[in-house]
Amino acid sequence: MQYKNHDDADEHALYTSAERAKAASRSTWVSVAVNLVLSTLQIVVGLLAKSQGLVADGLHSLADLVSDAVVLVAGHQARKAADDDHPYGHQRFENAASMVLGVLLLVVGAGMLVSAFGKLHTPAAVPSVHVAALWVAAGTLVAKELLFRYMLAVAKQVKSSLLVANAWHARSDAASSLVVALGLVGNLAGYPILDPIAALIVGLMVAKMGIEFGWSALHDLMDRAADDEEVQAIRQTLVETPGVAGVHDVRTRKMGDMIVVDAHIEVDAAITVEQGHDIAVAARQRVMQRHRVLNLMTHVDPWHRPDLDHAPVKSAPQA
């Protein structure tokens, strides 16, 4: 399966499902390596330096390892071929995985909030942190921002919503590391309470992102349509197909990172059924080559003739 990535600088770049899977796996393993190192460093140094904010950020990085595992499993499952139970394939596994990511983020964020509120109830017991915690937070901020930029570039290249979600997860880590660093600066300046406040803010950020990802994935699982720009691009490709005189009733629904399309195409009423069929086949091939469309179901209508598909159904006469 190939499709044209209209968002890329290279308008003629085509990506097979195998190439997309390879790019997704490579970027995810990079994320695994980075988060493994960072989470270990943050939690160890955070405990030794007595920084709740740094420990919270480390737990956030640890949650990323779990989310990376979900992405890898989802990518493997989504590549399975279509079967009798899943005639359109298993692409929706990615939507389900995105929802799992959202729930994971929400749970981690809630745990951070509970821990931070506990410390804020006893501000006098909040210790001063060691300066080493600040250096680790600063290094983590740089590493996660670079990871975000790398992962988002790959996600946009292969047009993967799951990878986009995982990339923005990395950006949330960078933002949380910035908050933690500012809290550590305040703690070292003589305001210890700023460290648990930083942990509280990180928890709110993580929980909010979890809700957004989960809600978006839920809509995709409920057959949400593709965005208007993409639908119009598909419609334009249909209209430009030789033999197509008009297009109406274009409907789309998300299937993982792909789209399933239904469309009515209008052809000359005087041509044969075989000619109309050939036009429909050509339209389907053009759309599937140029867009991330998994399947296109076409309904052929006669041009400038009444469309009986929308006529009211007459009830059977009473006996």
Side-chain angles (χ1 to χ4, degrees), residues 260-276:
V260 176
V261 184
D262 299 323
H264 288 224
I265 61 173
E266 300 171 13
V267 300
D268 187 348
I271 65 177
T272 65
V273 172
E274 182 179 6
Q275 290 173 318

Side-chain angles (χ1 to χ4, degrees), residues 19-181:
E19 290 171 336
R20 295 172 67 243
K22 183 178 179 180
S25 178
R26 182 175 61 250
S27 67
T28 303
W29 279 114
V30 169
S31 178
V32 167
V34 171
N35 285 314
L36 181 61
V37 173
L38 291 180
S39 62
T40 302
L41 186 62
Q42 288 173 296
I43 293 174
V44 171
V45 174
L47 291 173
L48 294 176
K50 300 179 181 179
S51 170
Q52 184 186 7
L54 191 59
V55 171
D57 205 26
L59 292 175
H60 191 185
S61 299
L62 192 61
D64 289 351
L65 289 174
V66 180
S67 69
D68 289 335
V70 171
V71 171
L72 290 171
V73 172
H76 174 73
Q77 293 293 329
R79 291 196 300 273
K80 287 184 176 180
D83 53 35
D84 291 339
D85 292 330
H86 305 87
Y88 287 100
H90 297 75
Q91 283 82 3
R92 278 230 171 109
F93 201 97
E94 292 194 9
N95 300 125
S98 294
M99 191 168 183
V100 171
L101 281 178
V103 173
L104 174 65
L105 286 171
L106 180 58
V107 171
V108 172
M112 292 179 182
L113 291 174
V114 171
S115 178
F117 275 122
K119 286 293 182 67
L120 291 174
H121 284 161
T122 56
V126 177
S128 297
V129 301
H130 192 276
V131 70
L134 179 58
W135 288 109
V136 171
T140 299
L141 171 61
V142 174
K144 288 185 175 180
E145 179 64 20
L146 292 176
L147 178 63
F148 159 74
R149 293 180 181 274
Y150 163 72
M151 293 182 69
L152 187 63
V154 174
K156 287 183 175 181
Q157 182 183 26
V158 300
K159 298 202 75 170
S160 169
S161 61
L162 181 60
L163 287 182
V164 168
N166 213 29
W168 279 102
H169 189 177
R171 164 54 71 86
S172 75
D173 292 350
S176 67
S177 295
L178 175 60
V179 172
V180 169

Side-chain angles (χ1 to χ4, degrees), residues 3-6 8-15 157:
Y3 64 89
K4 189 172 182 178
N5 185 344
H6 292 280
D8 259 338
D10 183 2
E11 285 290 315
H12 303 286
L14 295 174
Y15 298 95
Q157 182 183 26

Side-chain angles (χ1 to χ4, degrees), residues 1-6 11-20 91 157-159 230 237 257-259 283-296:
M1 176 75 60
Q2 293 185 333
Y3 64 89
K4 189 172 182 178
N5 185 344
H6 292 280
E11 285 290 315
H12 303 286
L14 295 174
Y15 298 95
T16 65
S17 58
E19 290 171 336
R20 295 172 67 243
Q91 283 82 3
Q157 182 183 26
V158 300
K159 298 202 75 170
E230 197 152 24
T237 298
D257 288 317
M258 305 294 283
I259 304 170
R284 180 176 184 271
Q285 291 175 342
R286 286 165 62 92
V287 168
M288 293 179 66
Q289 288 173 350
R290 298 185 178 191
H291 307 277
R292 54 192 184 114
V293 171
L294 180 66
N295 188 54
L296 168 65

